[in-house]
Amino acid sequence: MQNIDLICVGKLNAAYFAAGVAEYQKRLGGFCHFRIIELPEAPVSDRSPSPALIEKALDKEGKAMLAAVRKGAYIVALCVEGRQISSEELAAMIADRANSGAGNMAFLIGSSHGLSPQVKAAAQARISLGRITLPHQLARLVLTEQLYRACTINAGMKYHK
C-alpha cells in the first residue's frame, strides 16, 4: 500500500478543522498509509518581522520539513506559485507514483510565511490550491479532502462526480 504523508507546520487549533481532517484521514486509511506530521512553527517575535527574521524562521522550518520526508519520497510543495491542478490530475499524480514502484509521497504545507526556498527546490512538484489565499488550517483540510477524492477517483468510486 502506498505511503502518503502530509508534513505541515503548525497545529490545528480549531475543532472544526481538526474534525474534518480526522474524518478524511480515517477514510484515506482504506486506500493508503496516510500520516500527518505536524512540526512546530519557528517563532517570529516581532509583530512586523523583518525579511531577515522571516527568512531565518523559514530556513528552520524548511530543514525540519525536509528531515521528516521519507527517504526517496516524491515531494509535493503547496505554494502560491505552484501549478493549479484538477482533482483528476492529482489522482493521476498519485497513481503514477503508486505504479512506479516508488510510491511514497510527501505533501508539504508551510507556515503562514510560506515555504523555504530549499523546500521548493527539493520538491519534484509544486501545486497550488488556487489563486485565493487560504489559512493554513483550511488548506490542510482542503488538501486532505482532495487526497481522499483522488484516491476514490483512482478506485473508480462514485464520490467524485
Side-chain angles (χ1 to χ4, degrees):
M1 195 176 271
Q2 186 175 23
N3 294 312
I4 299 178
D5 295 336
L6 172 53
I7 302 170
C8 43
V9 175
K11 296 203 175 285
L12 292 175
N13 59 15
Y16 48 90
F17 286 132
V21 169
E23 177 62 28
Y24 289 112
Q25 185 174 12
K26 180 178 75 173
R27 291 181 188 192
L28 277 162
F31 300 98
C32 64
H33 295 291
F34 181 71
R35 68 179 181 168
I36 298 173
I37 300 168
E38 290 181 336
L39 301 171
E41 189 168 352
V44 178
S45 57
D46 294 349
R47 282 192 133 242
S48 300
S50 69
L53 279 176
I54 292 171
E55 184 179 333
K56 184 177 177 184
L58 287 177
D59 183 60
K60 183 177 181 181
E61 292 168 357
K63 286 177 182 170
M65 292 179 93
L66 292 174
V69 173
R70 293 177 202 253
K71 185 177 181 180
Y74 185 84
I75 299 172
V76 181
L78 272 77
C79 50
V80 68
E81 66 272 17
R83 186 172 68 89
Q84 294 181 44
I85 62 172
S86 67
S87 298
E88 293 85 359
E89 288 170 314
L90 179 60
M93 179 189 295
I94 292 170
D96 288 347
R97 294 306 302 161
N99 295 332
S100 74
N104 292 345
M105 297 185 77
F107 291 82
L108 280 60
I109 299 176
S111 68
S112 61
H113 296 294
L115 287 170
S116 71
Q118 70 259 37
V119 169
K120 292 176 187 179
Q124 285 87 5
R126 294 181 194 178
I127 63 172
S128 171
L129 295 177
R131 295 179 56 196
I132 59 172
T133 301
L134 296 175
H136 287 74
Q137 294 185 47
L138 181 56
R140 190 186 314 187
L141 175 58
V142 170
L143 176 62
T144 307
E145 188 279 336
Q146 283 298 299
L147 292 172
Y148 174 70
R149 182 177 297 274
C151 289
T152 64
I153 290 169
N154 289 339
M157 295 173 64
K158 293 187 179 192
Y159 178 81
H160 179 71
K161 297 177 186 174

